[in-house]
Amino acid sequence: MSRDLVRAPEEDVAAEARQARFGRLPEPVRAEDLIEERPAVAPDPSRFAYNPDEWLIRYCA
């Protein structure tokens, strides 16, 4: 008898485990799930805190 015709029970269990794990292709991944959109830098509140009319308030009031 050849080895292909007679299998040990351990081989059957291992073959079933391989088939359960690798027997089908994984689910396709959508392109939307691959892209993460975040701002390049954190917002800086002091960047927009400049008031061009502040000199009027400080020196002319």
Side-chain angles (χ1 to χ4, degrees), residues 1 4 7 11-13 15 19 23-25 32 34-35 38-39 42 45 48 50-52 55 58-59 61:
M1 290 186 155
D4 295 332
R7 287 185 161 178
E11 291 177 359
D12 290 338
V13 171
Q19 179 66 28
R24 61 183 173 85
L25 292 175
E32 295 85 20
L34 297 175
I35 299 170
R38 294 186 304 176
F48 301 108
Y50 176 72
N51 183 358
W55 68 274
R58 287 186 183 253
Y59 299 115

Side-chain angles (χ1 to χ4, degrees), residues 1-46:
M1 290 186 155
S2 72
R3 182 164 166 78
D4 295 332
L5 296 176
V6 178
R7 287 185 161 178
E10 300 86 24
E11 291 177 359
D12 290 338
V13 171
E16 288 177 13
R18 273 193 309 277
Q19 179 66 28
R21 182 172 181 188
F22 303 112
R24 61 183 173 85
L25 292 175
E27 297 296 322
V29 179
R30 301 180 320 173
E32 295 85 20
D33 295 338
L34 297 175
I35 299 170
E36 179 181 354
E37 294 182 4
R38 294 186 304 176
V41 294
D44 184 13
S46 63

